[in-house]
Amino acid sequence: MVLAVVVLLCGGMVGLPLMMFGLARAEAEACELPSVPGSPVPGVGSWGSAETTNAAAIVAVGRQRHVPPRGYVVALATAMQESTLRNLANANVPESLTLPHEGVGRDHDSVGLFQQRPGWGSVRERMTPSYAAGKFYEALLRVDGWQRMRLTDAAQAVQRSGLPEAYQKWEDDAERLAALVLGLPNIDDIGGGAPTAPCGADDLGPVPVGPGGWVQPIRAPVGSAFGPRGGSFHAGVDMSKADVRGDAIRAAAVGVVEQVKCDWYTTCDHDGNTSQRGCGWYVDIRHPGNIVTRYCHLIQRPEVSIGQQVAAGTVIGFVGTSGGSSGPHLHFEVHRDVPAGPFHANRDNAVDPVPFMRAQGAPLGPGT
């Protein structure tokens, strides 16, 4: 059985209207870390005992070096992609075959959990899990802003892989395995979750609700306005500011989530650009009175699901730049008199969010 001692979880409600990354990092750093189990560690799910023991070693090195818990997740996802958490020898490196190993690869002269090449150390060093993990963390900590990056971007900044998006698919597995070896129900409990909300979206806390029951979706200036734009029609407003990437997006009023979708004609698991189309990751919420609000260009899969009831101010996702986007911002739409059922919010029933929100007592913009 994996034994661990959990001493203190992230606590306290955050009373600010929106949490900035600096506060999120401070909260994560305030979370104390549990102890790390010894080895060997029993296998779990698709991971055998050898793989889970290697995962425990990676986490232990991170803890010893005071790496923020998000780093454990990045390191585990990297090793999952590079070696499926096995300490690999290499048929092209004869010395590696004489050392303890859990499989044999053939990728150039790469060896070990992170498939590190000679510049990372001797063959023996690179095939020592604690050494390999330590070198990975050293490189990760030199990456400016790594805690604010998508997992795959942070990993790629260290690994320089020919498949830079490959690490992202392991994020959920890495979070679960990091929690497992620490004896936690969720890695968010110690601030190891996604950089947008390292202790989980629920810890971002409530915000003041206006007298009409509405709140600003984010606190940022309105840039691109509602109406005709460049020969087309802009059915909402764009809200942005410096360092807006990753800011929490709030449900503007009580309602039911009607749509959670990645536009079919774009890819949402990486940043978009102006040559792409559509909202990227987006959420539609239906409010009383046949009003629908739409929130576009989220950084990752939204935090809510179709049919979920949300209160005003519920965190539904985080600002990003997926889809047809020139940079991180929230595209916010309001639709009135929308017939029942999904996909009925369109250009014909869109209204200008600025006067609408002002009338609800929750004017858009950076002010209160």
Side-chain angles (χ1 to χ4, degrees):
M1 176 177 292
V2 178
L3 298 177
V5 179
V6 181
V7 287
L8 183 67
L9 306 184
C10 284
M13 298 298 286
V14 179
L16 296 178
L18 291 175
M19 175 181 280
M20 300 300 292
F21 273 116
L23 183 55
R25 286 197 298 271
E27 183 183 82
E29 289 167 2
C31 303
E32 295 185 28
L33 304 184
S35 60
V36 179
S39 58
V41 178
V44 60
S46 61
W47 304 108
S49 178
E51 291 90 343
T52 308
T53 299
N54 288 332
I58 290 170
V59 171
V61 172
R63 184 175 183 272
Q64 292 161 5
R65 294 181 176 229
H66 305 289
V67 175
R70 181 61 178 170
Y72 313 163
V73 177
V74 177
L76 287 177
T78 301
M80 287 173 174
Q81 171 61 26
E82 297 292 349
S83 67
T84 60
L85 280 173
R86 295 176 300 152
N87 195 20
L88 295 181
N90 190 320
N92 301 319
V93 184
E95 181 185 351
S96 70
L97 301 172
T98 69
L99 300 171
H101 57 276
E102 295 145 359
V104 179
R106 293 180 177 273
D107 183 15
H108 299 288
D109 47 11
S110 302
V111 297
L113 291 174
F114 296 90
Q115 290 293 278
Q116 292 161 335
R117 303 192 69 181
W120 294 83
S122 69
V123 175
R124 182 175 294 275
E125 287 173 333
R126 289 178 283 140
M127 290 189 65
T128 302
S130 59
Y131 174 91
K135 296 300 286 186
F136 178 86
Y137 286 128
E138 287 176 12
L140 179 66
L141 294 177
R142 289 195 297 267
V143 176
D144 185 37
W146 68 270
Q147 290 188 73
R148 295 180 61 175
M149 296 178 179
R150 290 188 310 144
L151 182 146
T152 197
D153 295 334
Q156 173 65 3
V158 175
Q159 297 294 105
R160 307 294 182 185
S161 169
L163 299 170
E165 289 292 325
Y167 305 104
Q168 192 66 38
K169 66 178 178 286
W170 297 106
E171 183 168 23
D172 290 346
D173 278 4
E175 289 184 353
R176 285 192 291 266
L177 195 51
L180 172 81
V181 301
L182 289 167
L184 295 171
N186 195 310
I187 196 64
D188 288 351
D189 292 346
I190 57 168
T196 49
C199 293
D202 290 344
D203 276 343
L204 296 183
V207 293
V209 179
W214 288 71
V215 304
Q216 298 180 48
I218 66 170
R219 185 157 303 214
V222 173
S224 184
F226 175 88
R229 184 178 72 174
S232 62
F233 188 82
H234 194 227
V237 295
D238 292 343
M239 304 178 67
S240 188
K241 61 182 178 180
D243 296 325
V244 73
R245 183 184 180 97
D247 275 8
I249 301 170
R250 309 276 180 164
V254 64
V256 176
V257 177
E258 191 167 75
Q259 194 59 252
V260 175
K261 186 176 176 61
C262 172
D263 281 345
W264 68 268
Y265 42 74
T266 189
T267 300
C268 295
D269 291 332
H270 60 72
D271 289 350
N273 54 62
T274 55
S275 67
Q276 294 183 356
R277 298 174 55 201
C279 268
W281 280 119
Y282 76 93
V283 173
D284 282 357
I285 299 176
R286 182 174 288 270
H287 310 282
N290 290 324
I291 297 170
V292 171
T293 54
R294 175 169 293 171
Y295 313 77
C296 295
H297 307 305
L298 276 63
I299 195 171
Q300 61 195 32
R301 181 179 292 277
E303 301 294 310
V304 291
S305 56
I306 294 174
Q308 179 178 338
Q309 293 188 352
V310 294
T314 298
V315 175
I316 63 172
F318 301 93
V319 176
T321 183
S322 59
S325 173
S326 59
H329 70 281
L330 171 65
H331 174 86
F332 177 59
E333 298 181 8
V334 176
H335 300 260
R336 303 195 71 162
D337 301 320
V338 183
F343 304 113
H344 292 309
N346 54 46
R347 168 178 169 173
D348 293 337
N349 49 42
V351 298
D352 189 341
V354 172
F356 175 88
M357 292 296 288
R358 185 185 305 118
Q360 312 312 312
L364 301 179
T368 57

